[in-house]
Amino acid sequence: MVMKNYPPQFKADAVALDQSRPGATIRQLAADLGVNPETLRNWIRAAGASRPRGHRSDAPAESPTPLEAELASARKRVRELEEEREILRKAANYFGRGDALVNRFQFVADHQRRYGVKRLCTIVDIARSSFYYWLATAADRAARQAADARLTARIRAVHQESDGTYGVPRITAELREAGEPVNHKRVARVMRSIGLAGVRLRRRHRTTIGDPAAAKAPDLLGGDFTAAEANTKYVGDITYLPLDGGKFLYLATVIDLASRRLAGWAIADHMRTSLVTDALAAAQRTRGSLTGAIMHTDHGAQYTSRAFAEACRSAGVRQSMGAIGSSADNALAESFNAAFKRETLQGRKNWSSEREARLDAFRWLHRYNTRRSHSRLGRPIAYETATATPSTTLAQAA
């Protein structure tokens, strides 16, 4: 029960308690003593006592001075800078992982709950709209990455199957043939990302040596290096196989213009006419008959010789020659030769021995017809089988 009359000692003790507790308000002390706050205030006034310095009262607190406000602002900025330094220290672990922009997005995503998206985007210098777009498209990116992973595995398999020789065009052709509707630019991007590339040819050696006095055959192709049917138009050429010690082997080829099939070939350590007549004879054995076919070559001494002309007449082949000094006039054979050396040498300057060169050539030349995909027609023998007519089938079987 609250007393109505308080003894002098009680009042003196209440005033003394107020003086001893500068942090307490009159209202708090009055509640502790069970008296009215205004009554306690009257006792303090009657005793002539003043509120201790810094004593809180029920009146509103005074506004901080400009100096105090500036100090508080400085302290706040120091705390913010310390936190920013901590954020940047954590972000540094993300910046060395490849794509800098993606890593910044990932850092914000990983720390947004603690620091907030707005502040993190400001510190790592990215737009919030870009970050939110990155988040929204995460599922699509994951799907593309999974598709790229599957494509990478297929590209590796095709590249390995080609002994590491296929580049973008042929790998693209192989994938399309296998039912993968892929763009060559995407294949190029994936191959760059995993460090795969086809091999390139570095060295050239002259094999076409003309004889000004020899008879020349007319140009029966007229620049048209296509054929509607197999076993109607052929191109022939010679290329070199460099060996250790500055020696060479020579390869003569006979290629069908319709299917790009290597119909005949021969290898020797010389470039005499027998090299090209042996290749023509091999083509005749492959086809059974060459009667009526055109054999187009350059003006090399081997092809302008009487012995080769006689071999063509005997096989029923009509000779054709392009313009002198025009590499484009026999471009298909030149392209074949370049691919052969590029994919067998694989960056080496030469073969260590004649045996090694012959075995590599034997494997690649047979593989060319059965396994190697031409960028336009696919595999030569498979193409011939798919496009064969009853008449050509019977003619080849005869």
Side-chain angles (χ1 to χ4, degrees):
M1 177 180 291
V2 179
M3 293 183 294
K4 298 298 182 179
N5 297 309
Y6 298 92
Q9 187 60 47
F10 181 87
K11 297 177 182 180
D13 290 342
V15 172
L17 180 63
D18 174 69
Q19 296 297 303
S20 67
R21 297 181 61 188
T25 65
I26 291 178
R27 191 176 298 278
Q28 291 173 337
L29 292 174
D32 291 341
L33 298 174
V35 301
N36 187 282
E38 191 61 32
T39 301
L40 178 58
R41 186 175 285 106
N42 291 333
W43 294 344
I44 295 172
R45 290 196 190 101
S50 60
R51 299 287 290 165
R53 187 178 182 84
H55 197 289
R56 291 182 57 192
S57 67
D58 295 328
E62 295 181 359
S63 299
T65 65
L67 181 60
E68 291 173 338
E70 185 178 349
L71 182 59
S73 177
R75 289 171 178 168
K76 180 181 179 182
R77 183 55 183 157
V78 167
R79 289 194 299 270
E80 290 175 349
L81 290 174
E82 289 177 346
E83 194 170 58
E84 286 182 11
R85 184 175 62 179
E86 180 185 359
I87 291 172
L88 290 173
R89 187 165 53 246
K90 293 178 178 178
N93 296 326
Y94 286 72
F95 293 162
R97 300 180 185 176
D99 190 322
L101 184 59
V102 170
N103 291 334
R104 293 182 186 190
F105 289 148
Q106 189 62 57
F107 173 74
V108 175
D110 292 346
H111 297 82
Q112 59 180 322
R113 290 193 175 184
R114 179 171 181 180
Y115 300 109
V117 171
K118 181 178 180 180
R119 188 176 187 195
L120 289 174
C121 288
T122 300
I123 292 175
V124 299
D125 194 24
I126 58 175
R128 273 185 292 167
S129 59
S130 299
F131 170 71
Y132 286 122
Y133 177 80
W134 180 81
L135 281 183
T137 57
D140 293 338
R141 282 198 311 279
R144 285 196 300 272
Q145 289 171 356
D148 277 354
R150 292 191 295 269
L151 180 61
T152 298
R154 301 192 68 176
I155 287 175
R156 286 188 184 278
V158 174
H159 191 261
Q160 184 176 3
E161 180 68 16
S162 72
D163 292 335
T165 60
Y166 279 10
V168 172
R170 296 199 179 279
I171 288 181
T172 302
E174 287 277 333
L175 293 174
R176 288 175 177 172
E177 185 178 344
E180 181 82 28
V182 65
N183 184 280
H184 72 281
K185 293 182 179 179
R186 186 181 178 199
V187 173
R189 174 177 60 79
V190 172
M191 290 183 68
R192 281 195 304 271
S193 70
I194 59 178
L196 290 185
V199 295
R200 296 183 178 182
L201 186 63
R202 295 179 178 178
R203 193 179 178 191
R204 295 186 62 83
H205 178 71
R206 187 182 178 193
T207 55
T208 301
I209 303 174
D211 182 358
K216 305 297 188 296
D219 184 356
L220 301 180
L221 297 185
D224 180 13
F225 289 88
T226 62
E229 294 184 7
N231 198 26
T232 58
K233 296 180 183 179
Y234 293 91
V235 292
D237 198 16
I238 300 173
T239 191
Y240 69 97
L241 281 65
L243 305 177
D244 192 20
K247 298 181 180 179
F248 295 93
L249 291 179
Y250 298 93
L251 168 67
T253 55
V254 179
I255 303 172
D256 193 306
L257 284 178
S259 63
R260 305 299 195 262
R261 180 176 182 176
L262 178 62
W265 56 277
I267 293 180
D269 59 359
H270 60 79
M271 286 198 299
R272 294 190 292 271
T273 303
S274 60
L275 175 66
V276 295
T277 57
D278 287 348
L280 183 64
Q284 190 173 14
R285 290 192 298 272
T286 298
R287 293 305 193 187
S289 173
L290 297 177
T291 302
I294 295 173
M295 180 66 177
H296 186 85
T297 66
D298 58 26
H299 291 261
Q302 302 85 353
Y303 294 114
T304 58
S305 67
R306 291 182 181 179
F308 185 70
E310 180 58 33
C312 288
R313 282 193 295 271
S314 177
V317 172
R318 294 181 291 164
Q319 273 190 276
S320 172
M321 293 183 184
I324 297 177
S326 174
S327 60
D329 202 64
N330 202 12
L332 188 146
E334 295 286 350
S335 175
F336 173 90
N337 293 337
F340 164 72
K341 282 183 282 187
R342 181 176 65 245
E343 296 182 10
T344 49
L345 282 172
Q346 298 190 24
R348 296 175 295 170
K349 293 183 177 180
N350 50 51
W351 281 277
S352 61
S353 66
E354 179 178 331
R355 173 181 170 77
E356 181 188 26
R358 286 181 179 273
L359 289 177
D360 281 354
F362 177 81
R363 178 176 182 269
W364 190 92
L365 295 172
H366 283 284
R367 181 188 179 89
Y368 172 86
N369 284 332
T370 59
R371 300 289 299 280
R372 191 180 187 276
S373 178
H374 189 276
S375 58
R376 184 171 66 87
L377 303 176
R379 296 175 177 84
I381 291 180
Y383 176 80
E384 287 189 0
T385 302
T387 59
T389 62
S391 58
T392 57
T393 303
L394 292 173
Q396 292 181 21

